[in-house]
Amino acid sequence: MLPLLTAKQIRDADAFTIANEPISSVDLMERASKAFVGWFVNHFQDKQQSIAVYCGTGNNGGDGLAIARILGEHGFKNLTVKVIRFSDKPSNDFNTNLERLQATHIKITEINKGETDFSEQADIIIDALLGSGLNKPLAGDYKNLVEHLNKLDTTVVAVDVPTGFYTDAEIPKEATILKTDITITFQQPKINFLLPESGPYIDCCEVVKIGLSEEFINAVDTPYYLVEREDIRKILKPRKRFSNKGTYGHAFIIAGKDETMGAALLASSACAHAGAGLTTACIPQSGLIALNSSMPEVMALIRKDEELPAIAWDKFSAIGIGPGLGKSTDTLQLLNDIIEHYKKPVVIDADALNVLADNKQLLNELPTGSILTPHMKEFDRLFGEHQNWWQRVQKAKAKAEELTIYIALKNDYTIIATPEGKLYFNSTGNPAMATGGMGDVLTGIITSLLAQHYTQEQACLAGIYIHGKAGDELALPNRSKVVLPQQVANHLPSTMAKLIA
Protein backbone atom coordinates (compact mmCIF):
# COMPACT_ATOMS: atom_id res chain seq x y z
CA MET A 1 0.00 0.00 0.00
CA LEU A 2 1.19 3.50 -0.74
CA PRO A 3 0.74 5.66 2.37
CA LEU A 4 -0.89 8.97 1.45
CA LEU A 5 0.49 11.96 3.31
CA THR A 6 -1.00 15.26 4.40
CA ALA A 7 0.70 18.50 3.35
CA LYS A 8 2.50 18.71 6.70
CA GLN A 9 3.71 15.12 6.43
CA ILE A 10 5.02 15.78 2.92
CA ARG A 11 7.00 18.75 4.26
CA ASP A 12 8.30 16.45 6.98
CA ALA A 13 9.29 13.93 4.30
CA ASP A 14 11.18 16.71 2.50
CA ALA A 15 13.01 17.59 5.70
CA PHE A 16 13.82 13.95 6.49
CA THR A 17 15.16 13.39 2.98
CA ILE A 18 17.31 16.53 3.15
CA ALA A 19 18.75 15.48 6.51
CA ASN A 20 19.26 11.80 5.84
CA GLU A 21 20.10 11.38 2.14
CA PRO A 22 21.72 13.90 2.61
CA ILE A 23 20.86 16.53 0.01
CA SER A 24 20.51 20.30 0.19
CA SER A 25 17.00 21.71 -0.05
CA VAL A 26 17.86 23.62 -3.23
CA ASP A 27 19.22 20.43 -4.83
CA LEU A 28 16.04 18.56 -3.89
CA MET A 29 14.13 21.41 -5.53
CA GLU A 30 16.29 20.98 -8.64
CA ARG A 31 15.51 17.26 -8.69
CA ALA A 32 11.78 17.93 -8.44
CA SER A 33 11.97 20.54 -11.19
CA LYS A 34 13.83 18.17 -13.50
CA ALA A 35 11.17 15.50 -12.86
CA PHE A 36 8.46 18.03 -13.78
CA VAL A 37 10.27 19.07 -16.95
CA GLY A 38 10.89 15.42 -17.89
CA TRP A 39 7.14 14.84 -18.06
CA PHE A 40 6.39 18.23 -19.60
CA VAL A 41 8.79 18.01 -22.56
CA ASN A 42 7.48 14.57 -23.52
CA HIS A 43 3.94 15.90 -23.79
CA PHE A 44 4.46 19.48 -25.00
CA GLN A 45 6.93 19.02 -27.82
CA ASP A 46 6.33 22.25 -29.74
CA LYS A 47 9.20 24.42 -28.50
CA GLN A 48 7.81 27.48 -30.28
CA GLN A 49 4.75 27.67 -28.05
CA SER A 50 4.76 30.62 -25.69
CA ILE A 51 4.98 29.68 -22.02
CA ALA A 52 4.42 31.95 -19.03
CA VAL A 53 5.63 30.62 -15.68
CA TYR A 54 3.87 32.27 -12.73
CA CYS A 55 6.04 32.08 -9.62
CA GLY A 56 5.19 33.01 -6.07
CA THR A 57 8.06 33.79 -3.72
CA GLY A 58 7.94 30.59 -1.67
CA ASN A 59 9.35 27.19 -2.49
CA ASN A 60 6.65 26.44 -5.08
CA GLY A 61 7.78 29.61 -6.83
CA GLY A 62 11.36 28.39 -6.50
CA ASP A 63 10.29 25.23 -8.34
CA GLY A 64 8.79 27.41 -11.06
CA LEU A 65 12.00 29.41 -11.50
CA ALA A 66 14.06 26.23 -11.79
CA ILE A 67 11.52 24.75 -14.23
CA ALA A 68 11.75 27.84 -16.45
CA ARG A 69 15.56 27.66 -16.50
CA ILE A 70 15.57 23.92 -17.30
CA LEU A 71 12.95 24.39 -20.05
CA GLY A 72 15.26 27.00 -21.55
CA GLU A 73 18.09 24.48 -21.47
CA HIS A 74 15.80 22.09 -23.39
CA GLY A 75 15.42 24.60 -26.20
CA PHE A 76 12.11 26.26 -25.35
CA LYS A 77 12.66 29.78 -26.70
CA ASN A 78 9.42 31.62 -26.00
CA LEU A 79 9.55 31.71 -22.20
CA THR A 80 8.46 34.41 -19.79
CA VAL A 81 8.66 34.27 -16.01
CA LYS A 82 6.29 36.37 -13.93
CA VAL A 83 7.36 36.78 -10.32
CA ILE A 84 4.32 37.49 -8.15
CA ARG A 85 5.49 39.58 -5.21
CA PHE A 86 2.33 39.58 -3.12
CA SER A 87 4.42 38.41 -0.15
CA ASP A 88 7.37 40.18 1.48
CA LYS A 89 9.05 36.97 2.60
CA PRO A 90 10.79 35.09 -0.23
CA SER A 91 12.29 31.73 0.71
CA ASN A 92 16.04 31.17 0.54
CA ASP A 93 15.65 28.58 -2.22
CA PHE A 94 13.45 30.98 -4.19
CA ASN A 95 16.21 33.61 -3.99
CA THR A 96 18.86 31.10 -5.07
CA ASN A 97 16.85 30.03 -8.11
CA LEU A 98 16.04 33.63 -9.00
CA GLU A 99 19.77 34.40 -9.11
CA ARG A 100 20.34 31.37 -11.35
CA LEU A 101 17.52 32.41 -13.66
CA GLN A 102 18.80 35.98 -13.89
CA ALA A 103 22.01 34.59 -15.37
CA THR A 104 20.02 33.36 -18.40
CA HIS A 105 18.32 35.28 -21.20
CA ILE A 106 14.80 34.36 -20.03
CA LYS A 107 12.58 37.41 -19.57
CA ILE A 108 11.51 38.09 -15.97
CA THR A 109 8.76 40.52 -15.03
CA GLU A 110 7.28 41.28 -11.62
CA ILE A 111 3.73 41.82 -10.45
CA ASN A 112 3.55 43.62 -7.12
CA LYS A 113 0.88 44.13 -4.47
CA GLY A 114 -2.14 46.06 -5.66
CA GLU A 115 -1.42 45.66 -9.38
CA THR A 116 -4.40 44.71 -11.53
CA ASP A 117 -2.86 44.53 -15.01
CA PHE A 118 -2.70 40.77 -15.49
CA SER A 119 -2.70 40.73 -19.30
CA GLU A 120 -1.56 37.35 -20.63
CA GLN A 121 -1.17 36.02 -24.18
CA ALA A 122 0.83 32.84 -23.58
CA ASP A 123 -0.25 29.51 -25.06
CA ILE A 124 0.64 27.70 -21.83
CA ILE A 125 0.64 28.91 -18.24
CA ILE A 126 2.72 27.04 -15.66
CA ASP A 127 1.30 27.66 -12.17
CA ALA A 128 3.94 27.80 -9.44
CA LEU A 129 2.28 30.39 -7.24
CA LEU A 130 1.60 28.76 -3.87
CA GLY A 131 1.77 24.95 -3.87
CA SER A 132 0.63 22.80 -0.93
CA GLY A 133 -0.15 23.68 2.64
CA LEU A 134 -2.90 26.23 2.02
CA ASN A 135 -4.99 26.67 5.17
CA LYS A 136 -7.30 29.54 4.21
CA PRO A 137 -9.10 30.63 1.04
CA LEU A 138 -7.37 32.95 -1.38
CA ALA A 139 -8.14 36.62 -0.82
CA GLY A 140 -7.04 39.99 -2.11
CA ASP A 141 -4.39 40.06 -4.82
CA TYR A 142 -4.06 36.27 -5.12
CA LYS A 143 -7.81 35.90 -5.49
CA ASN A 144 -7.96 38.59 -8.17
CA LEU A 145 -5.09 37.05 -10.11
CA VAL A 146 -6.54 33.53 -10.05
CA GLU A 147 -9.98 34.79 -11.07
CA HIS A 148 -8.35 36.54 -14.04
CA LEU A 149 -6.37 33.45 -15.07
CA ASN A 150 -9.50 31.30 -14.88
CA LYS A 151 -11.11 33.48 -17.54
CA LEU A 152 -8.33 32.88 -20.07
CA ASP A 153 -8.62 30.36 -22.88
CA THR A 154 -5.21 28.78 -22.40
CA THR A 155 -3.63 25.54 -21.22
CA VAL A 156 -2.73 25.59 -17.53
CA VAL A 157 -0.22 23.20 -15.98
CA ALA A 158 0.18 23.29 -12.19
CA VAL A 159 3.41 22.54 -10.34
CA ASP A 160 2.51 20.03 -7.61
CA VAL A 161 -0.83 21.64 -6.56
CA PRO A 162 -3.16 24.14 -8.29
CA THR A 163 -3.10 27.52 -6.59
CA GLY A 164 -5.89 27.78 -4.02
CA PHE A 165 -6.49 24.03 -3.77
CA TYR A 166 -6.46 22.33 -0.36
CA THR A 167 -4.49 19.08 -0.45
CA ASP A 168 -6.31 17.77 2.62
CA ALA A 169 -9.12 18.89 4.96
CA GLU A 170 -12.37 20.48 3.82
CA ILE A 171 -12.35 22.78 0.81
CA PRO A 172 -14.58 25.82 1.48
CA LYS A 173 -17.52 26.01 -0.90
CA GLU A 174 -16.70 29.48 -2.17
CA ALA A 175 -12.93 29.00 -2.41
CA THR A 176 -11.21 30.52 -5.44
CA ILE A 177 -9.03 27.85 -7.08
CA LEU A 178 -7.07 27.86 -10.32
CA LYS A 179 -8.53 25.51 -12.94
CA THR A 180 -5.81 23.37 -14.49
CA ASP A 181 -5.67 21.11 -17.51
CA ILE A 182 -2.82 19.13 -16.00
CA THR A 183 -1.37 18.99 -12.51
CA ILE A 184 2.08 17.42 -12.30
CA THR A 185 2.37 16.52 -8.64
CA PHE A 186 5.45 15.41 -6.75
CA GLN A 187 6.01 11.93 -5.27
CA GLN A 188 2.37 10.89 -4.74
CA PRO A 189 -1.21 12.09 -5.32
CA LYS A 190 -2.51 14.40 -2.64
CA ILE A 191 -5.49 13.09 -0.66
CA ASN A 192 -8.04 15.59 -1.98
CA PHE A 193 -6.96 14.82 -5.57
CA LEU A 194 -8.79 11.51 -5.07
CA LEU A 195 -12.10 13.13 -4.09
CA PRO A 196 -14.74 14.62 -6.42
CA GLU A 197 -14.05 18.18 -5.20
CA SER A 198 -10.88 18.07 -7.33
CA GLY A 199 -12.89 17.48 -10.53
CA PRO A 200 -13.58 21.11 -11.47
CA TYR A 201 -9.93 22.08 -10.99
CA ILE A 202 -7.82 19.14 -12.17
CA ASP A 203 -8.65 17.60 -15.53
CA CYS A 204 -5.63 15.31 -15.43
CA CYS A 205 -3.13 14.50 -12.67
CA GLU A 206 0.31 13.02 -13.27
CA VAL A 207 2.65 11.89 -10.48
CA VAL A 208 6.42 12.24 -10.84
CA LYS A 209 8.79 10.72 -8.30
CA ILE A 210 11.33 13.10 -6.78
CA GLY A 211 13.20 10.69 -4.52
CA LEU A 212 11.66 11.48 -1.13
CA SER A 213 12.67 8.98 1.52
CA GLU A 214 10.66 5.75 1.15
CA GLU A 215 11.77 4.87 4.67
CA PHE A 216 10.00 7.94 6.03
CA ILE A 217 6.90 7.54 3.83
CA ASN A 218 6.40 3.90 4.80
CA ALA A 219 6.80 4.66 8.50
CA VAL A 220 4.48 7.67 8.64
CA ASP A 221 1.37 7.49 10.83
CA THR A 222 -1.52 7.92 8.40
CA PRO A 223 -4.94 6.30 7.95
CA TYR A 224 -4.84 6.99 4.18
CA TYR A 225 -3.51 4.48 1.64
CA LEU A 226 -3.62 4.03 -2.13
CA VAL A 227 -4.20 0.46 -3.33
CA GLU A 228 -1.84 -0.56 -6.13
CA ARG A 229 -1.44 -3.55 -8.45
CA GLU A 230 1.19 -5.32 -6.35
CA ASP A 231 -1.06 -5.19 -3.28
CA ILE A 232 -3.73 -7.15 -5.13
CA ARG A 233 -1.24 -9.62 -6.61
CA LYS A 234 -0.30 -10.50 -3.02
CA ILE A 235 -3.95 -11.04 -2.06
CA LEU A 236 -5.29 -13.13 -4.94
CA LYS A 237 -4.74 -16.89 -4.68
CA PRO A 238 -4.29 -19.25 -7.64
CA ARG A 239 -6.66 -22.18 -8.05
CA LYS A 240 -4.69 -25.31 -7.25
CA ARG A 241 -4.82 -28.87 -8.55
CA PHE A 242 -7.27 -31.25 -6.87
CA SER A 243 -9.51 -28.40 -5.77
CA ASN A 244 -13.24 -28.58 -6.53
CA LYS A 245 -16.36 -26.46 -6.40
CA GLY A 246 -16.57 -27.01 -2.66
CA THR A 247 -13.13 -25.48 -2.25
CA TYR A 248 -14.37 -22.12 -3.51
CA GLY A 249 -17.46 -21.73 -1.39
CA HIS A 250 -21.18 -21.29 -1.90
CA ALA A 251 -22.34 -17.70 -2.46
CA PHE A 252 -25.93 -16.59 -1.95
CA ILE A 253 -27.20 -13.52 -3.82
CA ILE A 254 -30.56 -12.13 -2.62
CA ALA A 255 -31.68 -9.74 -5.34
CA GLY A 256 -34.22 -8.72 -7.96
CA LYS A 257 -37.95 -8.31 -8.23
CA ASP A 258 -40.28 -8.58 -11.24
CA GLU A 259 -39.21 -5.34 -12.89
CA THR A 260 -35.57 -5.29 -11.74
CA MET A 261 -34.33 -8.79 -12.47
CA GLY A 262 -31.39 -7.31 -14.37
CA ALA A 263 -29.76 -6.38 -11.07
CA ALA A 264 -30.02 -9.96 -9.82
CA LEU A 265 -28.64 -11.35 -13.08
CA LEU A 266 -25.66 -8.98 -13.03
CA ALA A 267 -24.79 -9.65 -9.40
CA SER A 268 -25.12 -13.42 -9.85
CA SER A 269 -23.11 -13.40 -13.06
CA ALA A 270 -20.30 -11.40 -11.46
CA CYS A 271 -20.31 -13.73 -8.46
CA ALA A 272 -19.86 -16.79 -10.65
CA HIS A 273 -17.29 -15.15 -12.94
CA ALA A 274 -15.25 -14.00 -9.93
CA GLY A 275 -14.81 -17.62 -8.94
CA ALA A 276 -17.40 -18.76 -6.38
CA GLY A 277 -17.61 -22.55 -6.49
CA LEU A 278 -21.40 -22.40 -6.26
CA THR A 279 -23.74 -19.45 -6.67
CA THR A 280 -27.41 -19.45 -5.68
CA ALA A 281 -29.68 -16.52 -6.47
CA CYS A 282 -32.74 -15.84 -4.36
CA ILE A 283 -35.13 -14.32 -6.91
CA PRO A 284 -38.86 -13.95 -7.63
CA GLN A 285 -40.62 -16.68 -9.63
CA SER A 286 -40.90 -14.34 -12.60
CA GLY A 287 -37.13 -14.19 -12.97
CA LEU A 288 -36.45 -17.91 -13.20
CA ILE A 289 -36.59 -18.17 -16.99
CA ALA A 290 -34.28 -15.18 -17.38
CA LEU A 291 -31.80 -16.64 -14.89
CA ASN A 292 -31.82 -20.10 -16.49
CA SER A 293 -31.43 -18.59 -19.95
CA SER A 294 -28.61 -16.19 -19.15
CA MET A 295 -26.72 -18.01 -16.39
CA PRO A 296 -27.46 -21.74 -16.26
CA GLU A 297 -24.50 -22.08 -13.89
CA VAL A 298 -26.42 -20.23 -11.16
CA MET A 299 -28.93 -22.09 -8.97
CA ALA A 300 -32.19 -20.48 -7.88
CA LEU A 301 -34.11 -20.19 -4.65
CA ILE A 302 -37.55 -18.77 -5.43
CA ARG A 303 -39.42 -16.06 -3.53
CA LYS A 304 -43.14 -16.53 -4.25
CA ASP A 305 -45.79 -13.84 -3.83
CA GLU A 306 -43.50 -11.84 -1.53
CA GLU A 307 -43.33 -14.80 0.84
CA LEU A 308 -39.89 -15.66 2.11
CA PRO A 309 -38.59 -19.11 1.15
CA ALA A 310 -37.19 -21.53 3.68
CA ILE A 311 -33.47 -20.80 3.72
CA ALA A 312 -30.81 -23.16 5.05
CA TRP A 313 -28.53 -20.33 6.10
CA ASP A 314 -25.64 -22.44 7.29
CA LYS A 315 -24.89 -23.93 3.88
CA PHE A 316 -23.84 -20.55 2.45
CA SER A 317 -20.26 -19.33 2.73
CA ALA A 318 -21.22 -15.71 2.00
CA ILE A 319 -24.35 -13.65 1.37
CA GLY A 320 -24.89 -10.53 -0.72
CA ILE A 321 -28.21 -8.72 -0.51
CA GLY A 322 -29.83 -5.70 -2.11
CA PRO A 323 -29.52 -5.27 -5.90
CA GLY A 324 -32.98 -4.63 -7.35
CA LEU A 325 -34.84 -5.84 -4.25
CA GLY A 326 -36.98 -2.75 -3.74
CA LYS A 327 -37.92 -1.28 -0.37
CA SER A 328 -40.93 -3.49 0.32
CA THR A 329 -41.55 -5.20 3.62
CA ASP A 330 -40.05 -8.49 2.43
CA THR A 331 -36.65 -6.78 2.04
CA LEU A 332 -36.85 -5.75 5.69
CA GLN A 333 -37.95 -9.29 6.60
CA LEU A 334 -34.98 -10.75 4.72
CA LEU A 335 -32.59 -8.42 6.53
CA ASN A 336 -34.11 -9.35 9.88
CA ASP A 337 -33.83 -13.04 9.00
CA ILE A 338 -30.17 -12.64 8.07
CA ILE A 339 -29.42 -10.83 11.32
CA GLU A 340 -31.24 -13.52 13.32
CA HIS A 341 -29.84 -16.60 11.59
CA TYR A 342 -26.56 -15.73 9.89
CA LYS A 343 -23.54 -14.73 11.92
CA LYS A 344 -20.96 -14.37 9.12
CA PRO A 345 -20.28 -11.03 7.40
CA VAL A 346 -22.87 -9.97 4.83
CA VAL A 347 -22.45 -7.73 1.75
CA ILE A 348 -25.21 -5.10 1.75
CA ASP A 349 -25.96 -2.91 -1.26
CA ALA A 350 -28.63 -0.88 -3.05
CA ASP A 351 -32.18 -1.34 -1.74
CA ALA A 352 -30.97 -3.25 1.31
CA LEU A 353 -29.00 -0.12 2.23
CA ASN A 354 -32.11 2.02 1.75
CA VAL A 355 -34.07 -0.27 4.07
CA LEU A 356 -31.24 -0.01 6.61
CA ALA A 357 -31.46 3.77 6.32
CA ASP A 358 -35.15 3.59 7.22
CA ASN A 359 -34.45 1.18 10.11
CA LYS A 360 -31.19 2.48 11.52
CA GLN A 361 -31.42 0.38 14.66
CA LEU A 362 -30.46 -2.60 12.48
CA LEU A 363 -27.02 -1.08 11.84
CA ASN A 364 -26.01 -2.04 15.37
CA GLU A 365 -27.24 -5.60 14.85
CA LEU A 366 -25.38 -6.45 11.63
CA PRO A 367 -22.96 -9.38 11.75
CA THR A 368 -19.49 -8.17 12.72
CA GLY A 369 -17.36 -7.38 9.70
CA SER A 370 -20.28 -6.91 7.30
CA ILE A 371 -19.61 -4.85 4.19
CA LEU A 372 -21.75 -1.88 3.09
CA THR A 373 -21.26 -0.62 -0.47
CA PRO A 374 -23.12 2.72 -0.72
CA HIS A 375 -22.86 5.40 -3.35
CA MET A 376 -22.95 9.00 -2.16
CA LYS A 377 -26.72 9.35 -1.79
CA GLU A 378 -27.10 5.98 -0.07
CA PHE A 379 -24.29 6.93 2.30
CA ASP A 380 -25.99 10.20 3.22
CA ARG A 381 -29.32 8.42 3.78
CA LEU A 382 -27.54 6.07 6.16
CA PHE A 383 -25.39 8.52 8.06
CA GLY A 384 -26.81 12.01 7.52
CA GLU A 385 -26.29 14.82 5.05
CA HIS A 386 -22.72 15.93 4.33
CA GLN A 387 -21.51 19.15 2.74
CA ASN A 388 -18.50 17.64 0.99
CA TRP A 389 -16.56 14.45 0.39
CA TRP A 390 -13.98 15.13 3.08
CA GLN A 391 -16.82 15.00 5.62
CA ARG A 392 -18.05 11.72 4.11
CA VAL A 393 -14.61 10.16 4.30
CA GLN A 394 -14.23 11.09 7.96
CA LYS A 395 -17.75 9.84 8.74
CA ALA A 396 -17.06 6.55 6.94
CA LYS A 397 -13.93 6.10 9.06
CA ALA A 398 -15.84 6.83 12.28
CA LYS A 399 -18.82 4.60 11.45
CA ALA A 400 -16.68 1.65 10.32
CA GLU A 401 -14.87 1.79 13.66
CA GLU A 402 -18.04 2.32 15.70
CA LEU A 403 -20.10 -0.45 14.03
CA THR A 404 -17.17 -2.83 13.38
CA ILE A 405 -18.01 -3.03 9.69
CA TYR A 406 -16.43 -2.22 6.35
CA ILE A 407 -17.77 0.63 4.25
CA ALA A 408 -16.94 0.85 0.54
CA LEU A 409 -17.93 4.41 -0.37
CA LYS A 410 -18.23 4.31 -4.15
CA ASN A 411 -16.47 7.06 -6.08
CA ASP A 412 -13.97 7.39 -8.94
CA TYR A 413 -11.47 6.27 -6.30
CA THR A 414 -13.71 4.09 -4.15
CA ILE A 415 -12.79 4.47 -0.48
CA ILE A 416 -12.77 1.45 1.84
CA ALA A 417 -13.13 2.29 5.54
CA THR A 418 -12.15 -0.49 7.93
CA PRO A 419 -12.98 -1.22 11.59
CA GLU A 420 -9.31 -0.50 12.36
CA GLY A 421 -9.67 3.10 11.16
CA LYS A 422 -7.85 2.75 7.85
CA LEU A 423 -9.00 4.35 4.61
CA TYR A 424 -7.97 2.68 1.36
CA PHE A 425 -8.38 4.51 -1.97
CA ASN A 426 -8.79 2.26 -5.00
CA SER A 427 -6.69 3.17 -8.05
CA THR A 428 -8.62 1.47 -10.88
CA GLY A 429 -11.76 2.32 -12.85
CA ASN A 430 -12.71 4.95 -15.41
CA PRO A 431 -15.68 7.11 -16.54
CA ALA A 432 -16.74 4.57 -19.19
CA MET A 433 -17.99 2.44 -16.27
CA ALA A 434 -20.47 5.10 -15.13
CA THR A 435 -23.62 3.19 -16.04
CA GLY A 436 -26.50 1.54 -14.19
CA GLY A 437 -25.80 -1.96 -12.91
CA MET A 438 -22.07 -1.53 -12.30
CA GLY A 439 -22.63 -1.54 -8.54
CA ASP A 440 -24.56 -4.81 -8.81
CA VAL A 441 -21.50 -6.37 -10.43
CA LEU A 442 -19.32 -5.12 -7.58
CA THR A 443 -21.68 -6.68 -5.02
CA GLY A 444 -21.37 -10.02 -6.79
CA ILE A 445 -17.58 -9.84 -6.90
CA ILE A 446 -17.14 -9.04 -3.21
CA THR A 447 -19.64 -11.73 -2.20
CA SER A 448 -17.80 -14.23 -4.40
CA LEU A 449 -14.44 -13.46 -2.78
CA LEU A 450 -15.93 -13.77 0.70
CA ALA A 451 -17.33 -17.17 -0.30
CA GLN A 452 -13.82 -18.17 -1.40
CA HIS A 453 -12.57 -17.50 2.15
CA TYR A 454 -10.84 -14.21 1.59
CA THR A 455 -11.02 -11.95 4.63
CA GLN A 456 -13.45 -9.05 4.54
CA GLU A 457 -10.61 -6.58 4.01
CA GLN A 458 -9.11 -8.69 1.23
CA ALA A 459 -12.50 -9.12 -0.42
CA CYS A 460 -13.06 -5.35 -0.39
CA LEU A 461 -9.59 -4.41 -1.61
CA ALA A 462 -9.32 -7.09 -4.29
CA GLY A 463 -12.99 -6.98 -5.32
CA ILE A 464 -13.04 -3.24 -5.92
CA TYR A 465 -9.64 -3.29 -7.62
CA ILE A 466 -10.44 -6.10 -10.08
CA HIS A 467 -13.86 -4.56 -10.79
CA GLY A 468 -12.17 -1.32 -11.88
CA LYS A 469 -9.28 -3.12 -13.57
CA ALA A 470 -11.62 -5.17 -15.74
CA GLY A 471 -13.32 -1.93 -16.77
CA ASP A 472 -9.94 -0.38 -17.55
CA GLU A 473 -8.90 -3.32 -19.71
CA LEU A 474 -12.15 -3.07 -21.65
CA ALA A 475 -12.32 0.71 -22.02
CA LEU A 476 -8.86 2.20 -22.17
CA PRO A 477 -7.11 0.35 -25.02
CA ASN A 478 -10.00 1.07 -27.39
CA ARG A 479 -10.93 4.43 -25.86
CA SER A 480 -14.44 3.12 -25.35
CA LYS A 481 -16.97 5.70 -24.25
CA VAL A 482 -19.13 3.17 -22.42
CA VAL A 483 -18.41 -0.22 -20.86
CA LEU A 484 -21.48 -2.19 -19.79
CA PRO A 485 -21.72 -4.11 -16.51
CA GLN A 486 -22.15 -7.53 -18.14
CA GLN A 487 -18.97 -6.93 -20.14
CA VAL A 488 -17.13 -6.33 -16.88
CA ALA A 489 -18.56 -9.49 -15.32
CA ASN A 490 -17.57 -11.58 -18.33
CA HIS A 491 -14.05 -10.14 -18.31
CA LEU A 492 -13.32 -10.88 -14.64
CA PRO A 493 -11.62 -14.29 -15.15
CA SER A 494 -9.17 -12.75 -17.61
CA THR A 495 -8.38 -9.81 -15.31
CA MET A 496 -7.85 -12.07 -12.32
CA ALA A 497 -5.66 -14.47 -14.29
CA LYS A 498 -3.36 -11.62 -15.38
CA LEU A 499 -3.01 -10.42 -11.80
CA ILE A 500 -2.21 -13.88 -10.47
CA ALA A 501 0.23 -14.78 -13.29
Side-chain angles (χ1 to χ4, degrees), residues 222-254:
T222 177
Y224 309 104
Y225 295 87
L226 183 68
V227 181
E228 300 178 301
R229 177 187 176 90
E230 285 307 307
D231 303 316
I232 306 307
R233 283 175 56 84
K234 291 174 184 176
I235 290 174
L236 291 178
K237 298 173 283 195
R239 294 167 88 97
K240 295 183 178 179
R241 295 176 65 209
F242 304 114
S243 59
N244 56 67
K245 62 188 178 185
T247 308
Y248 303 108
H250 191 167
F252 189 38
I253 300 293
I254 305 172

Side-chain angles (χ1 to χ4, degrees), residues 255-385:
K257 57 181 183 177
D258 292 352
E259 60 272 32
T260 53
M261 264 304 296
L265 298 178
L266 288 170
S268 302
S269 175
C271 189
H273 280 97
L278 294 166
T279 301
T280 294
C282 182
I283 57 173
Q285 178 74 48
S286 61
L288 185 58
I289 293 175
L291 180 67
N292 286 339
S293 301
S294 65
M295 282 295 296
E297 300 87 349
V298 174
M299 297 176 286
L301 187 61
I302 302 301
R303 307 194 310 270
K304 296 181 179 178
D305 300 323
E306 296 193 359
E307 290 183 10
L308 299 182
I311 299 173
W313 299 101
D314 289 344
K315 76 177 185 179
F316 299 116
S317 310
I319 295 176
I321 180 171
L325 267 184
K327 293 175 64 176
S328 59
T329 55
D330 61 326
T331 301
L332 177 58
Q333 287 178 288
L334 280 165
L335 270 176
N336 280 318
D337 269 11
I338 289 172
I339 289 168
E340 182 179 353
H341 298 108
Y342 196 77
K343 302 309 175 186
K344 298 177 186 177
V346 180
V347 182
I348 302 174
D349 184 35
D351 288 320
L353 291 174
N354 292 326
V355 168
L356 268 183
D358 291 337
N359 300 271
K360 289 187 173 63
Q361 75 282 358
L362 294 180
L363 283 167
N364 295 299
E365 302 174 27
L366 295 175
T368 299
S370 289
I371 300 167
L372 311 188
T373 61
H375 56 57
M376 179 185 77
K377 290 183 179 179
E378 290 165 342
F379 184 86
D380 282 5
R381 284 195 285 269
L382 281 165
F383 301 121
E385 292 296 319

Side-chain angles (χ1 to χ4, degrees), residues 140-161:
D141 292 327
Y142 279 115
K143 185 175 187 290
N144 293 336
L145 175 57
V146 168
E147 286 176 342
H148 173 78
L149 295 178
N150 277 339
K151 295 175 184 176
L152 302 179
D153 183 17
T154 189
T155 299
V156 179
V157 183
V159 179
D160 198 26
V161 179

Side-chain angles (χ1 to χ4, degrees), residues 12 84 135 264 273 287 292 309 430 499:
D12 292 343
I84 311 303
N135 57 16
H273 280 97
N292 286 339
N430 62 85
L499 288 166

